[in-house]
Amino acid sequence: MNKLFYFLAVMITISACSKKSDSNSTPIIPIVTKAPPAPYTIKEDFEQGVKTSYAIADVSLKTGSWSFEDALLGKLAADVKNDNQSVRLRTGKISMNFDIDSISMIKFSHAQYGNDAVSELSLWVSSDQGLTYSQLGNSINAASKTFATDSFKVTLQKKVRFQIRKVGTTRINIDDFIFVGAGNPNIVFNAIPDVDPTTPPYTSTPAPGRGTPSGTGTDVQPTTGDNSNLLFGNPSNALADVVMKENYLIDQKYYVQSYSSTRGTANWVSWHLDETSSTNATARLDNFGAFTGLPTGFYQVQSNSYSGSGFDRGHICPSADRTSSAEANSATFLMTNMIPQAPNNNQRTWANLENYLRAEVQKGNEVYIIMGSYGKGGSGSVGSAETINNGNITVPNRVWKVAVILTKGNGDLARVDANTRVLAVDTPNENTINSDWTTYITTVDAIEKATNYNLLSSLPVALQTTLQSKIYKP
């Protein structure tokens, strides 16, 4: 009896404790929130193109190709302009030859040219690639000797292009045509490539050298924290110590670099890029010069040291990344910021990559960039070489770049996560190189292995491991 009682008690207990599935219960469905499309603001400042006559013609601008009919790019004293030049429109129109997507608003500035009378102009929009246009909003008057800005709301949920028309024989100036939207604008930027405009042989007399920039300008990057050039770390633990002849740290105010006296080039250069550093406030200066701030005994590369070599004086930190002031642009033409680069590598592949990163900035992003080279021996326009300038400058075998792309904001290191875009590219320094830089996308890990550098060292180790093993493709 006791055994039977014990058995029944155990069975009752088990039955009472067991969970019974309820077929009528409602399953819990997790709520998935979709991130809103990223906002963008893109400005066509009309600084890149050249057009000096009113004859109808297409002009290649930063945002793409535009058609100018009875219009030119003026830079006379009578032209009202925000920077170096603006559109001067007579009895005609300017039209986009490309479409933009996800647009919600257009803004542009207008003014009377010189002493011309008041003019009427209008904005038109096309959703069929320019076959037909309809007027957007009301016509407006250019009735001021200084710029006035008007905005137009865009409600078409499709790809569109725009046109500004003007009637009458008076002239107006138009500048800073701004696209505002959210999502992917789906346009290809035509940023100015960093191309050395001269070809060997260069002048036989070296240009005067100069030292470290003063660093007193308001456009100088901070030394620490957000927007600083070394925010993501010192890849080789370079020091500004004379004993560090092969890994000498130089703060050029607008970028930071590690320099090798034996190679006659930088090991790497690190800089921050956003819309404040590429404003086109100055033109490209082309004032190549030796850096006189190197310690005694370090080899000093001159402006003509690449003469006849068949290699470009290839910028590491590009000229077009530093157009906020003459001092900023001048800093990029110091010879410590150059490598012997195969012309097709510099002028095609690398220019395309630089344009891509500047286009990311135009879309509302900021970019932290580290670039360098390694190995020995490349091929230029007159053949292969391991060194130039009587053996004083090493021709690198490979040229690499790592770029961390963030949406514009604050607390940059803290905003990096496993989904942050980190682009790594490693190209051969050869004149037969493919112009498509995406062919040479790799991982940060692979570049670290080739260079023995510790890249992105300011990030937590676990996050470094995650990001550096990924291949990011645009």
Side-chain angles (χ1 to χ4, degrees):
M1 289 294 292
N2 291 338
K3 290 182 179 179
L4 178 60
F5 178 81
Y6 178 79
F7 174 77
L8 292 172
V10 170
M11 291 302 294
I12 292 171
T13 302
I14 293 173
S15 176
C17 292
S18 65
K19 291 184 179 180
K20 184 179 180 181
S21 62
D22 186 355
S23 60
N24 295 321
S25 64
T26 303
I28 299 174
I29 301 175
I31 298 174
V32 179
T33 58
K34 186 177 181 181
Y40 67 79
T41 300
I42 299 169
K43 180 172 71 174
E44 176 52 73
D45 54 17
F46 301 105
E47 292 298 307
Q48 179 169 323
V50 177
K51 189 173 189 295
T52 57
S53 73
Y54 285 109
I56 185 170
D58 291 339
V59 183
S60 180
L61 300 174
K62 181 166 58 179
T63 51
S65 172
W66 290 63
S67 173
F68 279 48
E69 183 177 335
D70 206 25
L72 54 77
L73 289 167
K75 54 178 62 180
L76 300 179
D79 285 296
V80 184
K81 48 194 178 294
N82 284 326
D83 293 302
N84 297 315
Q85 61 184 20
S86 63
V87 176
R88 191 193 310 159
L89 178 59
R90 200 164 55 181
T91 310
K93 53 183 176 281
I94 59 170
S95 312
M96 295 164 53
N97 292 328
F98 59 94
D99 291 329
I100 188 166
D101 205 353
S102 307
I103 183 81
S104 60
M105 183 177 292
I106 288 292
K107 301 178 182 179
F108 64 88
S109 299
H110 53 82
Q112 296 167 258
Y113 169 78
N115 293 318
D116 284 20
V118 174
S119 298
E120 182 180 287
L121 65 152
S122 54
L123 181 67
W124 296 69
V125 61
S126 172
S127 59
D128 56 9
Q129 298 182 314
L131 294 176
T132 60
Y133 283 88
S134 58
Q135 186 170 347
L136 190 63
N138 298 320
S139 298
I140 55 177
N141 288 328
S144 172
K145 301 294 185 183
T146 58
F147 276 134
T149 301
D150 275 282
S151 58
F152 297 81
K153 188 176 181 180
V154 182
T155 58
L156 292 172
Q157 300 299 311
K158 56 180 69 176
K159 292 182 179 181
V160 292
R161 62 183 61 182
F162 299 95
Q163 181 184 84
I164 295 178
R165 299 181 184 179
K166 185 196 160 295
V167 296
T169 57
T170 55
R171 295 160 293 181
I172 61 171
N173 285 119
I174 297 168
D175 209 350
D176 289 356
F177 195 93
I178 298 173
F179 307 90
V180 180
N184 186 353
N186 285 311
I187 63 174
V188 178
F189 292 83
N190 293 324
I192 304 171
D194 181 29
V195 174
D196 189 340
T198 57
T199 54
Y202 305 117
T203 176
S204 59
T205 304
R210 54 190 181 275
T212 304
S214 69
T216 58
T218 57
D219 59 339
V220 172
Q221 282 66 41
T223 55
T224 59
D226 280 3
N227 304 340
S228 58
N229 292 314
L230 275 184
L231 182 66
F232 281 83
N234 181 331
S236 61
N237 293 318
L239 293 173
D241 190 319
V242 67
V243 301
M244 302 289 283
K245 197 169 183 179
E246 301 310 315
N247 191 21
Y248 185 71
L249 186 69
I250 309 172
D251 184 355
Q252 299 287 18
K253 309 304 180 183
Y254 297 95
Y255 55 86
V256 176
Q257 60 187 148
S258 163
Y259 185 73
S260 166
S261 179
T262 299
R263 292 180 69 89
T265 62
N267 299 308
W268 53 261
V269 175
S270 185
W271 69 99
H272 174 257
L273 174 65
D274 65 11
E275 79 283 355
T276 68
S277 53
S278 53
T279 61
N280 292 315
T282 183
R284 179 186 169 112
L285 297 179
D286 289 313
N287 58 339
F288 294 91
F291 177 55
T292 59
L294 291 172
T296 302
F298 281 42
Y299 184 72
Q300 192 177 94
V301 179
Q302 301 297 316
S303 63
N304 64 342
S305 293
Y306 289 25
S307 178
S309 68
F311 292 94
D312 278 1
R313 295 172 289 188
H315 282 68
I316 305 178
C317 177
S319 161
D321 281 10
R322 291 291 182 259
T323 59
S324 54
S325 66
E327 183 177 70
N329 194 254
S330 180
T332 70
F333 285 93
L334 291 169
M335 292 304 294
T336 49
N337 186 45
M338 305 295 158
I339 53 172
Q341 198 167 1
N344 287 340
N345 186 322
N346 177 43
Q347 299 175 26
R348 297 179 185 176
T349 314
W350 220 247
N352 291 337
L353 173 55
E354 291 165 358
N355 287 345
Y356 170 80
L357 293 176
R358 285 190 286 268
E360 286 297 307
V361 169
Q362 289 291 323
K363 294 176 183 177
N365 297 308
E366 57 184 312
V367 189
Y368 288 88
I369 304 168
I370 310 165
M371 175 180 162
S373 61
Y374 64 92
K376 189 174 184 179
S379 64
S381 60
V382 295
S384 301
E386 292 191 345
T387 63
I388 60 173
N389 191 224
N390 297 318
N392 289 307
I393 303 172
T394 298
V395 176
N397 182 253
R398 308 285 298 190
V399 185
W400 60 270
K401 180 174 286 186
V402 170
V404 180
I405 305 170
L406 297 169
T407 55
K408 186 69 177 170
N410 299 316
D412 293 345
L413 280 178
R415 294 190 297 122
V416 177
D417 59 28
N419 296 315
T420 297
R421 293 184 291 164
V422 178
L423 179 64
V425 179
D426 189 347
T427 69
N429 191 23
E430 299 173 353
N431 222 31
T432 55
I433 190 171
N434 191 323
S435 62
D436 181 5
W437 60 269
T438 63
T439 305
Y440 305 103
I441 290 175
T442 184
T443 65
V444 177
D445 279 342
I447 294 176
E448 282 191 332
K449 184 177 181 180
T451 61
N452 202 31
Y453 295 150
N454 184 11
L455 300 167
L456 312 183
S457 59
S458 296
L459 296 175
V461 173
L463 185 54
Q464 285 186 60
T465 301
T466 299
L467 291 175
Q468 293 182 177
S469 63
K470 287 184 176 182
I471 288 184
Y472 168 72
K473 290 195 174 184

